[in-house]
Amino acid sequence: MTDTPARLLSLLSLLQTPREWPGSELAQRLRVSARTIRRDIDRLRELGYPVEATLGAEGGYRLVAGAAMPPLVLDDEEAVAIAVGLRAGAGHAIEGVEEASVRALAKLEQVLPGRLRRRVGALQSATVAVARGDGASVDPRTLTAIASAVAGPERLRFAYRARDGAATRRLVEPYRLVSTGSRWYLVAYDMEREDWRTFRVDRVSEPSATGARFVGRELPMDPVEFVRRGLRGGETYQVDVTFAGAVGELPEWVRKFVEPGGLAGGGAGVQAGAGVRVRFESADAPEWLVARLALAGVPFSVHGPGVLVEAARALGARLTGAVGP
């Protein structure tokens, strides 16, 4: 293989397999001399790839973790697998799959060859996923189009269906995508209404980047807080709940509030005997929040506020009635 760039990419693809490669085997696979392999390894190191060499009669090379992540080389099967996985996670708003995952999907789909795009689309259309909670499914292509416009930054046009079913066309300056664990929301500056707005992404269709760049405006608050306040018309309440067991047994979305010396987001968590008492601010509907607490799989007691206590009582009564006395 005399084409140096192509040879370097082939060498990098081999090294990204988690194993140690003898220099002689690399030379044989790439049909070059051992000396050429050593020179190519030096080139990869200069490009930032941490290639470790082992001593011995044969000598070997392997790619190790470095201080920064260099570009990856993926074969067709790997690229398709990653794209399908990211699409599935983004499309169903799985908790923990945040904006970074959507950005990664947007980057990957931007460079996928047409033949691989078709394979990804075929796999996606042939797959039926079990929806989680009452979250509406989102077209991953819509997410990636929005994410690309956010990264631009580039003004975005789309069709939007309001809660009452009314259809409108919007022109916005997209700011951030926010995942609540059950739904995706776009925070953007609406050009026609001259104000900040929150859009449910499952109600967005036909997103189209306009090509018009813009200088980003400053949102007056954190985008997550902006979405939360919008969901409750700006109202929030203080949640006070005790979970049975240790901190490590709590679901991740609760553990994020519990930190050494206090809680993130203005809350407070205390390990008390056999339980963990957690206090945090929420803008979620009480009915949704108490259902989410119940689905955590850890026994809990609700201390307040009153609206959350009543929501817990109502849910308990409905579940009890569902199975009879």
Side-chain angles (χ1 to χ4, degrees):
M1 184 178 290
T2 57
D3 187 339
T4 300
R7 189 178 66 246
L8 283 174
L9 286 174
S10 297
L11 175 59
L12 182 57
S13 181
L14 291 172
L15 290 174
Q16 286 178 341
T17 303
R19 56 162 287 191
E20 183 172 300
W21 290 87
S24 58
E25 185 175 351
L26 291 174
Q28 182 180 4
R29 283 189 173 239
L30 299 178
R31 299 190 298 277
V32 295
S33 66
R35 182 179 178 183
T36 298
I37 291 296
R38 288 193 293 271
R39 286 202 303 265
D40 287 348
I41 292 293
D42 288 338
R43 290 190 181 101
L44 289 178
R45 287 169 176 162
E46 291 172 0
L47 292 172
Y49 293 93
V51 182
E52 185 180 82
T54 56
L55 301 177
E58 276 292 317
Y61 303 96
R62 64 189 182 96
L63 199 63
V64 298
M69 181 178 172
L72 297 175
V73 175
L74 304 173
D75 61 30
D76 287 3
E77 287 71 23
E78 293 166 343
V80 169
I82 291 174
V84 169
L86 288 172
R87 274 189 172 201
H92 294 276
I94 295 174
E95 188 170 357
V97 180
E98 303 294 345
E99 186 184 352
S101 297
V102 180
R103 291 201 309 269
L105 178 59
K107 291 178 181 178
L108 182 59
E109 294 206 335
Q110 184 178 359
V111 297
L112 277 180
R115 56 189 171 80
L116 296 188
R117 285 177 184 270
R118 287 189 289 274
R119 285 177 60 183
V120 171
L123 278 170
Q124 190 74 19
S125 62
T127 303
V128 178
V130 177
R132 191 181 73 87
D134 62 351
S137 179
V138 176
D139 186 342
R141 290 170 296 183
T142 299
L143 275 176
T144 54
I146 295 174
S148 297
V150 170
E154 192 173 350
R155 287 177 179 164
L156 186 71
R157 290 187 185 278
F158 55 83
Y160 191 69
R161 176 177 49 84
R163 181 184 302 178
D164 60 4
T168 57
R169 299 287 302 182
R170 301 298 182 99
L171 173 64
V172 304
E173 293 180 349
Y175 183 73
R176 288 290 186 276
L177 278 167
V178 175
S179 170
T180 64
S182 61
R183 290 192 176 95
W184 283 97
Y185 293 88
L186 167 65
V187 176
Y189 187 84
D190 192 308
M191 301 299 295
E192 295 180 2
R193 291 155 182 80
E194 298 184 343
D195 199 5
W196 291 97
R197 290 289 190 272
T198 299
F199 302 95
R200 264 180 53 174
V201 177
D202 59 287
R203 293 176 178 166
V204 171
S205 61
E206 305 172 33
S208 174
T210 64
R213 304 280 179 171
F214 64 91
V215 177
R217 305 170 192 264
E218 284 299 321
L219 185 69
M221 66 182 70
D222 177 79
V224 174
E225 181 63 22
F226 185 77
V227 169
R228 285 176 174 167
R229 293 192 180 188
L231 294 178
R232 285 187 53 81
E235 297 179 11
T236 61
Y237 57 93
Q238 294 295 323
V239 178
D240 188 355
V241 179
T242 295
F243 289 89
V247 172
E249 299 172 356
L250 302 182
E252 183 179 353
W253 71 271
V254 175
R255 286 203 308 272
K256 72 180 182 180
F257 292 111
V258 183
E259 295 181 350
L263 279 182
V270 179
Q271 180 83 41
V276 182
R277 189 161 185 170
V278 180
R279 301 183 184 93
F280 59 93
E281 187 177 64
S282 177
D284 293 325
E287 296 78 11
W288 160 248
L289 181 57
V290 76
R292 197 178 185 199
L293 292 170
L295 290 172
V298 181
F300 66 96
S301 300
V302 179
H303 308 296
V307 291
L308 195 62
V309 173
E310 290 305 315
R313 283 203 185 101
L315 178 61
R318 285 198 298 271
L319 294 177
T320 300
V323 298

